[in-house]
Amino acid sequence: MKISPWLWVPSLYLAEGIPYFLVTSISVTLFAQLGVPNSEMALFTSLIAFPWVFKPLWSPFVDVLRTKRWWVLTMQALMAVATGLLAWLAPQGHFTTALILFTITAFCSATHDIAADGYYMLALSEHDQAAYVGLRSTFYRIANIFCQSVLLMLVGWLQKRTDVSTSWTYALLLCSGILAVIAVWHVWQMPSVEAKGERQKAKGILREVGMVWADFFRKPGIVLALCFMLIYRLPEALLLKLCNPFFLAAREQGGLGITVDTIGEVTGIGVILMLLGGIGGGIWASRTGLKKAIIPMALCLTLPCIVYVYFAQFQPTAFWILALCVGFEQMGYGLGYTACMLYMIHVADGAHKTAHFSICTAFMFLGLMLPGMIAGYIQEAVGYLGFFWIVMVCCVPSIIVTYLVYRKL
């Protein structure tokens, strides 16, 4: 009996999103609440995301060793175990152990991304792939809202009744439980679609990978393209590591001193507006073309960062002001991120476009990781207000590289 994609596509992309946002976003708030200095927090939470930068290096071997279904199920089980261990160890102050477990989760999540996307294309016909693409993206976005909003609201609610450590233990156990349930569900509901003969052979795989990378670096204008991928999201790369620590920091330390549940509520509004901005950006680019849209989109991505200068200068506490400003900044980010994605699709077009797009996203992640590593040191040197002004200065190279790309499109 044929298993409906409705029974596994939503859960597959929920399992793809939850560990990603746990590692890249929730870890920041967790360590900030546990008192880890911003310099160490930003450095190590950037480093633990390295698997998403390097996953194109091992993605060809996912096909060689096992089926994509096996990789999906195994990675989901490992992520459930790693997150469960995090729930017991991280809130108790085992910083080094927590970093190791977050790194394992990141590696499993990056591998899961490779296998899940491959399984999706293999299990569904081209018609069904197009039909269910909206469903997969919707549940990935639900994972985003769950982690960055619902989970933080739960943590804040628990902290009013217990303590910081206990609240994070329960929250991470919830994530572990969700991943475990999904893994068990998929044992029965993900159809076996790969025959032994359909998997790639190991012979010649290294030569093929080398050819794909060589073709990528031979693309016309590739140096400018790489500069764009590394620089375009520079302001965001700095902000990502310090937004929530800034919200949590006491007012006498230059922060806003708001609670975790309030951060979750504000962030939830921001994420929803970011998603709407992404949809609007896609419609905008489809009507005007990328060339006409790319500079205005770059301005939408960068200039709204000024709201954090306002936050640091005046330290508002009214919820509606926080929600309005964060929503404005996130909607601009959604619009601006669309240009980044469309340009990477443009660069990847041609032979090996799937592999080349994966390489493009790896360089984009590198552009987020490297600035994030030093963000905390900058903030500790100049304070929050000075840091956010530096973020605004970093908008300049982002706009310059966008203008150079605009001339070449």
Side-chain angles (χ1 to χ4, degrees), residues 197-218:
E198 290 176 329
R199 286 187 283 150
Q200 298 179 33
K201 304 300 182 182
K203 184 179 179 180
I205 190 70
L206 290 176
R207 183 168 61 250
E208 182 182 346
V209 171
M211 182 180 68
V212 168
W213 280 83
D215 287 348
F216 178 79
F217 287 107
R218 282 198 293 262

Side-chain angles (χ1 to χ4, degrees), residues 26 141-158 168 171 174-175 178 260-269 271-272:
I26 296 303
R141 291 165 180 169
I142 289 173
N144 186 356
I145 295 171
F146 170 76
C147 286
Q148 299 202 70
S149 180
V150 176
L151 197 65
L152 291 183
M153 286 191 286
L154 173 63
V155 169
W157 182 83
L158 288 170
W168 279 106
L174 173 62
C175 295
I178 292 172
V260 179
D261 53 329
T262 303
I263 294 175
E265 293 167 3
V266 170
T267 304
I269 295 171
V271 169
I272 292 171

Side-chain angles (χ1 to χ4, degrees), residues 323-337:
L324 182 65
C325 290
V326 171
F328 170 70
E329 187 265 334
Q330 285 292 292
M331 178 169 279
Y333 164 71
L335 287 165
Y337 181 66

Side-chain angles (χ1 to χ4, degrees), residues 109-142:
S109 180
T111 306
H112 181 274
D113 292 353
I114 298 164
D117 293 340
Y119 180 87
Y120 178 87
M121 291 186 285
L122 191 62
L124 301 177
S125 65
E126 288 189 16
H127 175 269
D128 285 346
Q129 288 177 39
Y132 289 98
V133 69
L135 186 66
R136 63 180 268 186
S137 61
T138 296
F139 275 83
Y140 188 83
R141 291 165 180 169
I142 289 173

Side-chain angles (χ1 to χ4, degrees), residues 246-257:
F246 166 69
F247 288 143
L248 290 168
R251 296 176 67 82
E252 56 269 22
Q253 296 174 336
L256 296 187

